[in-house]
Amino acid sequence: METAILSVLETATIAVSGFLVKKYVFLEPDMEPKKQRVFYAVSFILIACVFLAFGKDAAAMAILALIGLNICIVCKEHRLWGLLMMIPFLGIINGLLIPIMLVPPYLLSLTERGAFIYQLVVYVVLAALLALFYVKGQRWRTWFHENMRHRSLRKSEKYLLWMVGILMMFFSTSGVMQIVRGAQATDGGLGHEMAAFVGISSMAAFMMTIIIIVLIMQGNQRSFYHEQVSQMQSGMISFMAEVVENRDDNTGGHIRRTAEYVKGITKELKKQGAYSDILTDRYMTDVAVAAPLHDIGKIHIPDAILNKPGRLTDEEFATMKTHTTAGEELLNHAKEELGTSEYLNMAVDMAAYHHEWWNGNGYPYGISGEAIPLCARIMAVADVFDALTSKRCYKSAMPLEKAYAIIREESGTHFDPAVVAAFFAAAEDMIPAGETESGNG
C-alpha cells in the first residue's frame, strides 16, 4: 500500500515537473491558453489510465510522449528535433527526483519505514511549492510569457541538457538505484561500496543538472535585459531617423515604406532558398530594425539641397551623395558610444552601400556584385522603388507598372537579380494594386 502511494506521488510529480521544465527550462512554447488547459486535462487523465493499467514505468513513458506531442503540436518546424530533445527529458526529471528520494535515506541509514516517511514528506513539500508557484507566481509567469516568447535555447545549452539528461537516465533507472536500496539490507562488502559510489555520483550529477538549469535561467534573464537595452537603443536611433526624415519635405513615410519592402523581400528570399547561409532568423529581424537608418546621413545635407524643388546641379548632387558616407560615419560613432550589435553593423552597411550598383557603377565606393552587403542590395531595390512611386516636390508619383518596368530593366545592372526576383514575388502582398503616395493623399 505504501509503495503504491509513493508511486502515485512520484508519477504525479514527474508529470507536473515535466511540463514545467518543458516550458521554463527547455523554453518550449505552449498552445493557446484554452487549448493548453484542455491538453493538460486530457494528458493527466491518460497518464492516470496508463498508470492504473500498466504501472509507474509505463506512465513515465506516457508523460514523455505527451510532452513530445505538446511540442510537436505547437512547433511549426523542426518538430523532429523537438522529439529528439525529449530523449533525455525523463532522465532530467527522474534524475532530479530520485537522488533526493533515495540517497539521503541511505546516508542517514533510515529504516524502511523511516525512508517512506522521509519520501512522503519530500513529496508533500514539493506539492506545496508547486501550489505556491501556481497561486503566488502569476506575476512572474506573466512576465516570463511576455518577455521570453522570443527566447530559445542556444545550441550549446541544448547539448548540455541533452548530455546531462542521458547521464541522469543512468542514475535514475530503477535497476541502478536498487543497489542503494539493497545495500541497506546487507552488511558491508561490495554492496555498500557500490551504493556509496552510485549515491555520490548521482548527487554529483544532480548538482550539475541544477547548476546548468540555474545558468539557463540566468541566461533567460540576461537575454531579457539585453533585448530591453537593444530595443531602447534601436528606438533612440530610429527616432533620430524620423527627425532626419522630417527635415525632408519630399519623403514623408519613406523610411516606414522601405522598411516594409525590405521585410517582404527578405522573407521571399528565404522562402526561395536564396542566400540561405546569410538569411537566418536573427538576420531577418535585424535587417527590419536597421532599414529605417539607411538615410540617416541626410542630417548633414543642407536644407537648400535636400528640399530643392528642381533638378540638382552636378555640385549639389555631389553633396547629396555624401549622405552615404556621412551615415556610415554617424552609425560607426553610434557603435563606439552604444556598443556594437548586429543590427548596428547592418545599419552601417545599409547607410554606406545602398546606392552601390550590382555592376559597380554606383557610389560612394564603386563596389559590385556580392561585395555589396546583401542588406544594402535589398535596400537598393526598396529605396529606388519607393522613390519612383512617391510624389516629390520636383515630380509626380510614377505609375506602378512603369516603376516595375524600370526595376526589371535594371536587374543585373543596378540591382541583384535574385533580390529583384524576390521583390516581384512579394510585390503583390506588399503593394496593393494602384497604390502610390499620391493615391493615398
Side-chain angles (χ1 to χ4, degrees):
M1 181 62 181
E2 291 179 352
T3 303
I5 292 172
L6 282 178
S7 295
V8 170
L9 291 173
E10 182 180 341
T11 302
T13 304
I14 289 174
V16 175
S17 301
F19 281 106
L20 289 177
V21 170
K22 182 226 39 154
K23 182 189 295 187
Y24 297 113
V25 177
F26 279 77
L27 301 180
E28 295 291 348
D30 282 339
M31 296 181 255
E32 295 175 6
K34 289 183 179 179
K35 292 181 180 178
Q36 188 64 44
R37 283 193 290 269
V38 171
F39 186 88
Y40 284 150
V42 172
S43 295
F44 284 107
I45 291 170
L46 287 174
I47 292 166
C49 292
V50 172
F51 177 85
L52 292 173
F54 303 104
K56 181 180 69 175
D57 291 341
M61 291 298 103
I63 293 168
L64 184 64
L66 287 165
I67 292 173
L69 177 61
N70 195 184
I71 292 173
C72 286
I73 291 173
V74 177
C75 288
K76 291 181 172 56
E77 53 185 15
H78 306 305
R79 292 181 174 178
L80 181 58
W81 174 249
L83 285 178
L84 290 175
M85 284 302 299
M86 289 298 99
I87 291 174
F89 199 90
L90 193 58
I92 290 175
I93 301 304
N94 275 340
L96 288 172
L97 292 174
I98 289 180
I100 296 176
M101 295 299 172
L102 298 182
V103 175
Y106 166 73
L107 295 177
L108 295 172
S109 300
L110 297 180
T111 63
E112 186 176 344
R113 182 66 180 173
F116 169 77
I117 294 172
Y118 163 80
Q119 292 169 359
L120 186 62
V121 169
V122 171
Y123 280 125
V124 169
V125 170
L126 286 174
L129 290 174
L130 291 172
L132 186 65
F133 174 73
Y134 180 79
V135 174
K136 297 292 186 180
Q138 179 63 42
R139 178 180 292 183
W140 184 87
R141 293 197 302 274
T142 300
W143 175 89
F144 189 94
H145 294 156
E146 289 177 353
N147 298 298
M148 291 293 108
R149 62 182 181 271
H150 300 305
R151 159 89 159 119
S152 59
L153 293 185
R154 302 178 186 91
K155 285 186 178 179
S156 58
E157 293 171 330
K158 290 179 179 179
Y159 293 151
L160 272 174
L161 282 173
W162 207 89
M163 289 164 49
V164 168
I166 296 296
L167 178 65
M168 296 300 278
M169 283 178 74
F170 170 76
F171 289 114
S172 65
T173 58
S174 57
V176 173
M177 294 313 295
Q178 188 64 36
I179 297 172
V180 178
R181 295 190 185 97
Q184 293 175 318
T186 62
D187 295 325
L190 182 62
H192 278 293
E193 293 176 4
M194 192 64 178
F197 167 76
V198 172
I200 293 170
S201 300
S202 62
M203 289 305 292
F206 167 78
M207 292 304 299
M208 184 168 63
T209 305
I210 292 293
I211 290 169
I212 290 172
I213 289 173
V214 169
L215 287 175
I216 288 173
M217 298 300 284
Q218 287 295 317
N220 293 346
Q221 190 175 31
R222 286 194 301 272
S223 176
F224 165 67
Y225 287 120
H226 174 74
E227 197 69 29
Q228 273 196 323
V229 171
S230 296
Q231 287 176 0
M232 181 178 68
Q233 292 176 354
S234 171
M236 290 173 64
I237 297 176
S238 294
F239 175 74
M240 291 169 56
E242 291 275 2
V243 171
V244 173
E245 184 187 29
N246 288 337
R247 289 184 60 236
D248 187 350
D249 293 337
N250 298 324
T251 57
H254 172 70
I255 63 173
R256 288 182 293 279
R257 289 192 302 272
T258 51
E260 287 303 312
Y261 298 156
V262 164
K263 276 195 243 180
I265 293 169
T266 52
K267 285 181 182 177
E268 188 60 37
L269 281 170
K270 188 174 180 69
K271 182 179 176 182
Q272 294 177 0
Y275 302 115
S276 57
D277 56 328
I278 300 175
L279 290 171
T280 62
D281 291 341
R282 182 70 194 189
Y283 186 98
M284 294 177 69
T285 300
D286 288 337
V287 77
V289 175
L293 304 179
H294 72 281
D295 273 340
I296 197 168
K298 285 184 177 179
I299 197 168
H300 286 305
I301 305 301
D303 287 344
I305 295 175
L306 196 63
N307 294 315
K308 183 177 179 179
R311 186 179 181 85
L312 297 179
T313 65
D314 290 345
E315 183 179 351
E316 289 170 335
F317 185 58
T319 300
M320 177 64 83
K321 289 197 292 186
T322 63
H323 80 277
T324 54
T325 51
E328 180 182 22
E329 184 177 345
L330 272 172
L331 290 167
N332 276 323
H333 181 66
K335 284 167 58 178
E336 292 172 6
E337 294 295 323
L338 300 174
T340 189
S341 66
E342 287 304 316
Y343 90 84
L344 272 178
N345 290 336
M346 202 174 295
V348 171
D349 287 343
M350 294 176 96
Y353 304 115
H354 70 282
H355 284 292
E356 299 288 358
W357 283 39
W358 183 252
N359 64 5
N361 290 337
Y363 65 87
Y365 300 114
I367 59 176
S368 63
E370 293 191 8
I372 306 168
L374 177 59
C375 58
R377 284 179 266 149
I378 294 170
M379 175 52 73
V381 174
D383 191 45
V384 170
F385 177 76
D386 189 69
L388 292 173
T389 56
S390 299
K391 181 180 179 181
R392 302 291 171 88
C393 59
Y394 56 85
K395 74 173 188 70
S396 299
M398 185 179 289
L400 280 177
E401 289 307 318
K402 187 174 180 180
Y404 287 154
I406 290 173
I407 298 293
R408 283 193 186 93
E409 287 170 9
E410 297 191 358
S411 175
T413 54
H414 188 165
F415 307 120
D416 177 349
V419 174
V420 171
F423 168 78
F424 281 109
E428 185 176 342
D429 294 329
M430 292 189 298
I431 307 141
E435 181 179 307
T436 63
E437 186 172 319
S438 59
N440 289 338

Tab-separated table of all heavy atoms in Angstrom, residues 44-77:
chain	number	residue	atom	x	y	z
A	44	PHE	N	-3.365	14.361	-18.184
A	44	PHE	CA	-3.340	13.778	-16.844
A	44	PHE	C	-4.330	12.615	-16.718
A	44	PHE	O	-4.079	11.654	-15.984
A	44	PHE	CB	-3.600	14.854	-15.790
A	44	PHE	CG	-2.395	15.736	-15.544
A	44	PHE	CD1	-2.369	17.036	-16.005
A	44	PHE	CD2	-1.289	15.243	-14.886
A	44	PHE	CE1	-1.264	17.840	-15.802
A	44	PHE	CE2	-0.175	16.032	-14.668
A	44	PHE	CZ	-0.154	17.345	-15.135
A	45	ILE	N	-5.433	12.692	-17.459
A	45	ILE	CA	-6.366	11.555	-17.469
A	45	ILE	C	-5.714	10.342	-18.118
A	45	ILE	O	-5.781	9.211	-17.611
A	45	ILE	CB	-7.676	11.932	-18.200
A	45	ILE	CG1	-8.461	12.954	-17.375
A	45	ILE	CG2	-8.518	10.686	-18.448
A	45	ILE	CD1	-9.643	13.558	-18.111
A	46	LEU	N	-5.037	10.564	-19.255
A	46	LEU	CA	-4.350	9.470	-19.944
A	46	LEU	C	-3.231	8.876	-19.090
A	46	LEU	O	-3.053	7.658	-19.023
A	46	LEU	CB	-3.781	9.971	-21.278
A	46	LEU	CG	-4.793	10.237	-22.399
A	46	LEU	CD1	-4.103	10.870	-23.595
A	46	LEU	CD2	-5.488	8.943	-22.817
A	47	ILE	N	-2.477	9.756	-18.424
A	47	ILE	CA	-1.387	9.282	-17.560
A	47	ILE	C	-1.945	8.415	-16.429
A	47	ILE	O	-1.393	7.353	-16.102
A	47	ILE	CB	-0.592	10.480	-16.996
A	47	ILE	CG1	0.179	11.185	-18.121
A	47	ILE	CG2	0.380	10.018	-15.907
A	47	ILE	CD1	0.712	12.542	-17.745
A	48	ALA	N	-3.064	8.851	-15.847
A	48	ALA	CA	-3.691	8.072	-14.765
A	48	ALA	C	-4.148	6.707	-15.273
A	48	ALA	O	-3.959	5.680	-14.590
A	48	ALA	CB	-4.874	8.854	-14.190
A	49	CYS	N	-4.718	6.672	-16.474
A	49	CYS	CA	-5.182	5.394	-17.038
A	49	CYS	C	-4.015	4.448	-17.301
A	49	CYS	O	-4.084	3.248	-17.001
A	49	CYS	CB	-5.953	5.646	-18.334
A	49	CYS	SG	-7.530	6.491	-18.093
A	50	VAL	N	-2.940	4.982	-17.857
A	50	VAL	CA	-1.754	4.157	-18.125
A	50	VAL	C	-1.154	3.650	-16.823
A	50	VAL	O	-0.739	2.493	-16.726
A	50	VAL	CB	-0.710	4.968	-18.934
A	50	VAL	CG1	0.603	4.189	-19.049
A	50	VAL	CG2	-1.244	5.298	-20.319
A	51	PHE	N	-1.125	4.527	-15.807
A	51	PHE	CA	-0.573	4.136	-14.500
A	51	PHE	C	-1.377	2.962	-13.918
A	51	PHE	O	-0.809	1.978	-13.434
A	51	PHE	CB	-0.606	5.327	-13.547
A	51	PHE	CG	-0.124	5.003	-12.153
A	51	PHE	CD1	1.221	5.038	-11.843
A	51	PHE	CD2	-1.026	4.658	-11.154
A	51	PHE	CE1	1.669	4.727	-10.563
A	51	PHE	CE2	-0.597	4.347	-9.885
A	51	PHE	CZ	0.759	4.389	-9.573
A	52	LEU	N	-2.694	3.080	-13.964
A	52	LEU	CA	-3.537	2.032	-13.389
A	52	LEU	C	-3.435	0.729	-14.174
A	52	LEU	O	-3.482	-0.370	-13.604
A	52	LEU	CB	-4.998	2.506	-13.352
A	52	LEU	CG	-5.298	3.659	-12.377
A	52	LEU	CD1	-6.730	4.147	-12.562
A	52	LEU	CD2	-5.076	3.211	-10.929
A	53	ALA	N	-3.276	0.859	-15.490
A	53	ALA	CA	-3.265	-0.343	-16.325
A	53	ALA	C	-1.895	-1.013	-16.399
A	53	ALA	O	-1.792	-2.252	-16.400
A	53	ALA	CB	-3.750	0.004	-17.730
A	54	PHE	N	-0.825	-0.207	-16.443
A	54	PHE	CA	0.496	-0.780	-16.733
A	54	PHE	C	1.576	-0.449	-15.695
A	54	PHE	O	2.685	-0.966	-15.796
A	54	PHE	CB	0.970	-0.312	-18.116
A	54	PHE	CG	0.013	-0.652	-19.215
A	54	PHE	CD1	-0.803	0.319	-19.775
A	54	PHE	CD2	-0.083	-1.958	-19.682
A	54	PHE	CE1	-1.684	0.015	-20.799
A	54	PHE	CE2	-0.968	-2.274	-20.710
A	54	PHE	CZ	-1.776	-1.291	-21.266
A	55	GLY	N	1.276	0.471	-14.784
A	55	GLY	CA	2.248	0.758	-13.742
A	55	GLY	C	3.029	2.042	-13.954
A	55	GLY	O	2.846	2.768	-14.941
A	56	LYS	N	3.945	2.300	-13.002
A	56	LYS	CA	4.669	3.563	-12.934
A	56	LYS	C	5.585	3.784	-14.140
A	56	LYS	O	5.629	4.886	-14.704
A	56	LYS	CB	5.492	3.593	-11.645
A	56	LYS	CG	6.292	4.869	-11.433
A	56	LYS	CD	7.084	4.823	-10.145
A	56	LYS	CE	8.211	3.801	-10.250
A	56	LYS	NZ	9.088	3.818	-9.057
A	57	ASP	N	6.332	2.778	-14.555
A	57	ASP	CA	7.287	2.947	-15.646
A	57	ASP	C	6.571	3.288	-16.956
A	57	ASP	O	7.020	4.139	-17.725
A	57	ASP	CB	8.132	1.690	-15.824
A	57	ASP	CG	9.096	1.469	-14.661
A	57	ASP	OD1	9.361	2.454	-13.928
A	57	ASP	OD2	9.559	0.329	-14.474
A	58	ALA	N	5.463	2.619	-17.222
A	58	ALA	CA	4.692	2.913	-18.432
A	58	ALA	C	4.115	4.323	-18.376
A	58	ALA	O	4.061	5.033	-19.392
A	58	ALA	CB	3.570	1.890	-18.596
A	59	ALA	N	3.688	4.741	-17.168
A	59	ALA	CA	3.164	6.101	-17.012
A	59	ALA	C	4.248	7.135	-17.298
A	59	ALA	O	3.982	8.188	-17.895
A	59	ALA	CB	2.606	6.286	-15.605
A	60	ALA	N	5.483	6.841	-16.873
A	60	ALA	CA	6.597	7.758	-17.142
A	60	ALA	C	6.825	7.903	-18.642
A	60	ALA	O	7.074	9.002	-19.154
A	60	ALA	CB	7.866	7.264	-16.455
A	61	MET	N	6.742	6.798	-19.373
A	61	MET	CA	6.876	6.863	-20.828
A	61	MET	C	5.733	7.649	-21.457
A	61	MET	O	5.923	8.390	-22.422
A	61	MET	CB	6.902	5.438	-21.396
A	61	MET	CG	8.146	4.628	-21.065
A	61	MET	SD	9.662	5.361	-21.738
A	61	MET	CE	10.361	6.097	-20.253
A	62	ALA	N	4.528	7.494	-20.889
A	62	ALA	CA	3.368	8.253	-21.390
A	62	ALA	C	3.578	9.748	-21.179
A	62	ALA	O	3.226	10.561	-22.043
A	62	ALA	CB	2.097	7.782	-20.687
A	63	ILE	N	4.145	10.108	-20.036
A	63	ILE	CA	4.433	11.525	-19.762
A	63	ILE	C	5.383	12.073	-20.820
A	63	ILE	O	5.168	13.153	-21.390
A	63	ILE	CB	5.048	11.683	-18.354
A	63	ILE	CG1	4.014	11.333	-17.282
A	63	ILE	CG2	5.570	13.109	-18.146
A	63	ILE	CD1	4.600	11.170	-15.893
A	64	LEU	N	6.443	11.322	-21.080
A	64	LEU	CA	7.425	11.740	-22.082
A	64	LEU	C	6.774	11.914	-23.449
A	64	LEU	O	7.002	12.915	-24.146
A	64	LEU	CB	8.542	10.706	-22.157
A	64	LEU	CG	9.722	11.021	-23.079
A	64	LEU	CD1	10.466	12.241	-22.596
A	64	LEU	CD2	10.652	9.825	-23.168
A	65	ALA	N	5.934	10.967	-23.844
A	65	ALA	CA	5.271	11.025	-25.146
A	65	ALA	C	4.325	12.220	-25.241
A	65	ALA	O	4.267	12.896	-26.277
A	65	ALA	CB	4.501	9.730	-25.382
A	66	LEU	N	3.613	12.507	-24.171
A	66	LEU	CA	2.656	13.627	-24.188
A	66	LEU	C	3.375	14.976	-24.235
A	66	LEU	O	2.904	15.904	-24.894
A	66	LEU	CB	1.744	13.543	-22.961
A	66	LEU	CG	0.699	12.411	-23.028
A	66	LEU	CD1	0.091	12.154	-21.648
A	66	LEU	CD2	-0.393	12.755	-24.041
A	67	ILE	N	4.508	15.085	-23.531
A	67	ILE	CA	5.278	16.328	-23.601
A	67	ILE	C	5.813	16.513	-25.025
A	67	ILE	O	5.758	17.613	-25.584
A	67	ILE	CB	6.429	16.315	-22.573
A	67	ILE	CG1	5.859	16.372	-21.157
A	67	ILE	CG2	7.373	17.498	-22.802
A	67	ILE	CD1	6.886	16.199	-20.059
A	68	GLY	N	6.318	15.418	-25.619
A	68	GLY	CA	6.772	15.490	-27.007
A	68	GLY	C	5.658	15.857	-27.961
A	68	GLY	O	5.844	16.662	-28.878
A	69	LEU	N	4.455	15.307	-27.735
A	69	LEU	CA	3.299	15.633	-28.563
A	69	LEU	C	2.943	17.110	-28.429
A	69	LEU	O	2.628	17.780	-29.419
A	69	LEU	CB	2.106	14.766	-28.157
A	69	LEU	CG	0.787	15.027	-28.888
A	69	LEU	CD1	0.934	14.767	-30.382
A	69	LEU	CD2	-0.337	14.174	-28.301
A	70	ASN	N	3.005	17.627	-27.201
A	70	ASN	CA	2.713	19.038	-26.956
A	70	ASN	C	3.659	19.931	-27.765
A	70	ASN	O	3.242	20.917	-28.387
A	70	ASN	CB	2.869	19.327	-25.464
A	70	ASN	CG	2.238	20.659	-25.051
A	70	ASN	OD1	2.350	21.064	-23.903
A	70	ASN	ND2	1.584	21.348	-25.958
A	71	ILE	N	4.933	19.560	-27.775
A	71	ILE	CA	5.919	20.343	-28.530
A	71	ILE	C	5.640	20.268	-30.028
A	71	ILE	O	5.679	21.280	-30.731
A	71	ILE	CB	7.343	19.833	-28.221
A	71	ILE	CG1	7.711	20.168	-26.763
A	71	ILE	CG2	8.370	20.462	-29.164
A	71	ILE	CD1	9.017	19.577	-26.311
A	72	CYS	N	5.331	19.066	-30.506
A	72	CYS	CA	5.065	18.888	-31.937
A	72	CYS	C	3.851	19.686	-32.408
A	72	CYS	O	3.840	20.244	-33.498
A	72	CYS	CB	4.851	17.417	-32.255
A	72	CYS	SG	6.363	16.457	-32.241
A	73	ILE	N	2.817	19.741	-31.572
A	73	ILE	CA	1.600	20.478	-31.941
A	73	ILE	C	1.897	21.965	-32.079
A	73	ILE	O	1.417	22.632	-32.996
A	73	ILE	CB	0.489	20.241	-30.903
A	73	ILE	CG1	-0.001	18.783	-30.980
A	73	ILE	CG2	-0.679	21.206	-31.127
A	73	ILE	CD1	-0.968	18.405	-29.893
A	74	VAL	N	2.711	22.490	-31.162
A	74	VAL	CA	2.986	23.936	-31.151
A	74	VAL	C	3.989	24.324	-32.230
A	74	VAL	O	3.837	25.349	-32.899
A	74	VAL	CB	3.501	24.380	-29.766
A	74	VAL	CG1	3.868	25.865	-29.775
A	74	VAL	CG2	2.445	24.107	-28.698
A	75	CYS	N	5.041	23.502	-32.401
A	75	CYS	CA	6.098	23.832	-33.359
A	75	CYS	C	5.578	23.772	-34.783
A	75	CYS	O	4.884	22.827	-35.148
A	75	CYS	CB	7.279	22.875	-33.207
A	75	CYS	SG	8.236	23.148	-31.712
A	76	LYS	N	5.981	24.776	-35.572
A	76	LYS	CA	5.615	24.778	-36.988
A	76	LYS	C	6.725	24.173	-37.843
A	76	LYS	O	6.522	23.817	-38.990
A	76	LYS	CB	5.308	26.202	-37.447
A	76	LYS	CG	4.029	26.772	-36.840
A	76	LYS	CD	3.766	28.165	-37.360
A	76	LYS	CE	2.391	28.668	-36.927
A	76	LYS	NZ	2.162	28.664	-35.499
A	77	GLU	N	7.928	24.101	-37.276
A	77	GLU	CA	9.049	23.496	-37.983
A	77	GLU	C	9.987	22.858	-36.961
A	77	GLU	O	9.851	23.068	-35.761
A	77	GLU	CB	9.806	24.533	-38.819
A	77	GLU	CG	10.251	25.750	-38.043
A	77	GLU	CD	10.880	26.809	-38.931
A	77	GLU	OE1	10.720	26.737	-40.163
A	77	GLU	OE2	11.538	27.705	-38.388
